[in-house]
Amino acid sequence: GVATVPAWLFTVADLPAPVARVAVAPTSVLTLPGPSVPPLPSGPGSLASVERVTAQTDTQIDFVIGIGACDRNPTGQVQESPDVVVIGGTIDRPDGICTAQLKAQPVSVRLTAPLGTRVLLDAVTGRPLVP
């Protein structure tokens, strides 16, 4: 989203616009938790990234993963820790040639505890997701 914050603007030779840096105390910046979550289950399939979160209740997250047109068995995956919830999907990739197109596949996962204030992350990119 958009945020209005104090910033330092620096003019740099050969750059068409000033470079902006947030001007806040380092203690004011939230650092996301480190990789304290075990990896998602491995197997014959491939890991699929979260395209967007579509719905969320206390213990269920609905989201869309990006899969190929020939991919099979799309399944939502989740790993939880006290501070972080990591979601993604797994798919089975076909042997042989397939068209190069991306399909939006809805999937869901159930949490063992409410999401609460835990950070929600994409399993492939590590980026924070907005429930």
Side-chain angles (χ1 to χ4, degrees), residues 21-114:
R21 292 290 178 251
V22 177
V24 296
T27 56
S28 300
V29 178
L30 172 69
T31 301
L32 294 175
S36 62
V37 176
L40 288 170
S42 61
S46 297
L47 197 56
S49 182
V50 176
E51 298 297 317
R52 69 182 178 280
V53 175
T54 55
Q56 182 241 328
T57 65
D58 278 348
T59 58
Q60 180 171 320
I61 301 173
D62 301 333
F63 55 100
V64 173
I65 57 174
I67 69 171
C70 300
D71 293 340
R72 299 288 175 252
N73 304 318
T75 306
Q77 299 289 336
V78 63
Q79 283 289 342
E80 299 180 57
S81 78
D83 300 318
V84 179
V85 173
V86 180
I87 60 174
T90 54
I91 46 149
D92 293 331
R93 296 218 186 265
D95 293 331
I97 299 172
C98 184
T99 60
Q101 64 193 76
L102 181 67
K103 285 178 41 180
Q105 177 66 48
V107 293
S108 296
V109 293
R110 288 216 174 268
L111 304 178
T112 59

